[in-house]
Amino acid sequence: MEGFSHRLGLPNLGLGLGLRSKHIPYLLQNDPIVDWFEVISENYLDNHGFQRYALDQIAERVPLVMHGVSLSIGSTSPLNLEYLQKLKNLAAQLKPAWVSDHLCWTGINHVNTHDLLPIALTEESLEHVINRVKQVQDFLERPLILENPSTYLEYQCSTFTEWDFLSELSRASGCGLLLDVNNVYVSANNHGYDPYTYIHHLPHERIVQIHLAGPTDYEGFLIDTHDKPVPTEVWRLYKVAQELTGGVSTLLEWDADIPEYEALVDELMKAKRVMQNEFPQVQVVGSHEPIVSNPLVRTSIEAA
């Protein structure tokens, strides 16, 4: 997997949305308007019914990207070769522009917790993840794109910042990066660092895609809920990231309390105005529910 060129030779697809089952009937009858869709890989690995038929129809009209939540690249358990083979088979059929997942671990011995759990950012961990990324890329025969997750705790043993860890990982393994600016905002708030420092210190030539979403404020602690409009500060981070990268594919995620399709398109199209310095004035929405009643991390796997 040596010799990937600038941004791994992958295109700027433009403005896209996460494809959700709620919108599939609409999309089969209407112009999608957006440039591309991101699909949750796990929703289609063993799906040969209507949703898979619909996905094939949509794929004939716009590009797709596969985004996974079960790779568990940071786990100490062996890679799940059965899962990887299914992922490879799906990619061969859908021909996505790329395949992505998260810098995290999700379980032990292939038992999935359905959480995107943080890893310790140490030299040992870095070497471990580099080797696993190389194995995955060799197996899939394509570069892997890894996303920075939202995190709610840090390990005392960590010796890297997350941005330095991702930088070293991408350079040493050849993987690309999916920069989730909402996740940067959430983690920076929760851990007390500067989100702009994070973005400025990444290898911008290796960033393939950007995620946008809206979090929820639980008395000053942010949770990556993906069920709110994108707040002003996340839009500001997005503009900086786009300027530093020279412009990469943008994806709006919305995974709960999902609006009608036209409303999602309107939210996504704000990205064009942001690049002209027209920032939506949106505060992070607060919640009065007890934080213990809400999942700290969601995996975005929809029900079949």
Side-chain angles (χ1 to χ4, degrees):
M1 306 299 294
E2 297 292 328
F4 293 129
S5 60
H6 177 76
R7 226 176 303 288
L8 289 72
L10 299 173
N12 181 351
L13 297 176
L15 299 177
L17 288 172
L19 182 64
R20 300 297 177 258
S21 58
K22 173 179 178 176
H23 299 136
I24 284 177
Y26 175 89
L27 291 168
L28 291 176
Q29 300 295 326
N30 296 276
D31 184 343
I33 304 173
V34 302
D35 299 315
W36 61 286
F37 288 109
E38 181 184 82
V39 301
I40 302 301
S41 303
E42 286 76 4
N43 288 337
Y44 297 95
L45 292 183
D46 296 302
N47 189 327
H48 304 286
F50 172 75
Q51 284 199 46
R52 178 55 195 277
Y53 163 80
L55 181 62
D56 290 339
Q57 300 302 304
I58 293 169
E60 292 180 359
R61 298 156 64 191
V62 293
L64 297 180
V65 164
M66 287 168 48
H67 186 54
V69 293
S70 302
L71 182 60
S72 201
I73 199 69
S75 174
T76 57
S77 299
L79 290 166
N80 187 338
L81 297 183
E82 180 182 358
Y83 170 78
L84 284 174
Q85 186 61 60
K86 290 181 179 181
L87 200 65
K88 185 174 183 177
N89 292 345
L90 183 64
Q93 295 162 10
L94 294 182
K95 297 179 174 55
W98 55 83
V99 175
S100 64
D101 208 290
H102 303 77
L103 178 66
C104 70
W105 61 284
T106 56
I108 299 174
N109 294 328
H110 307 163
V111 177
N112 202 325
T113 67
H114 300 293
D115 283 343
L116 305 179
L117 302 168
I119 67 173
L121 305 178
T122 63
E123 289 281 359
E124 182 181 13
S125 178
L126 178 62
E127 181 178 356
H128 175 69
V129 177
I130 287 171
N131 289 334
R132 285 166 70 88
V133 168
K134 288 181 177 179
Q135 292 177 58
V136 169
Q137 292 183 140
D138 287 342
F139 190 96
L140 297 180
E141 299 181 286
R142 61 173 66 232
L144 177 66
I145 313 302
L146 284 178
E147 175 183 348
N148 58 295
S150 290
T151 57
Y152 309 100
L153 58 82
E154 293 180 303
Y155 292 90
Q156 292 184 350
C157 64
S158 290
T159 56
F160 285 90
T161 62
E162 188 171 278
W163 53 89
D164 284 337
F165 190 96
L166 282 166
S167 298
E168 292 299 319
L169 172 61
S170 63
R171 293 186 181 112
S173 69
C175 75
L177 298 178
L178 195 173
L179 173 59
D180 190 315
V181 290
N182 172 66
N183 290 355
V184 171
Y185 178 68
V186 167
S187 298
N189 174 85
N190 293 343
H191 305 314
Y193 57 73
D194 179 13
Y196 293 94
T197 296
Y198 189 119
I199 292 174
H200 274 280
H201 284 81
L202 292 172
H204 305 122
E205 74 283 357
R206 302 203 67 82
I207 297 173
V208 172
Q209 179 185 340
I210 293 175
H211 269 175
L212 292 163
T216 302
D217 186 337
Y218 290 86
E219 298 183 355
F221 193 80
L222 297 185
I223 301 294
D224 181 27
T225 52
H226 287 193
D227 61 355
K228 303 289 190 300
V230 179
T232 305
E233 289 308 310
V234 173
W235 281 121
R236 293 189 184 281
L237 292 171
Y238 170 73
K239 183 172 188 292
V240 169
Q242 284 288 52
E243 290 173 342
L244 290 171
T245 60
V248 296
S249 305
T250 297
L251 191 286
L252 173 67
E253 294 184 297
W254 202 304
D255 296 324
D257 297 327
I258 300 174
E260 295 304 313
Y261 187 76
E262 296 93 333
L264 280 188
V265 172
D266 289 344
E267 181 72 9
L268 173 66
M269 294 305 165
K270 292 177 183 177
K272 294 182 178 181
R273 299 196 294 274
V274 164
M275 297 309 296
Q276 301 300 319
N277 286 318
E278 297 179 25
F279 294 97
Q281 297 304 303
V282 180
Q283 297 293 320
V284 177
V285 176
S287 175
H288 299 295
E289 295 181 14
I291 195 170
V292 293
S293 70
N294 291 273
L296 291 185
V297 186
R298 12 130 243 64
T299 63
S300 300
I301 300 180
E302 296 181 312

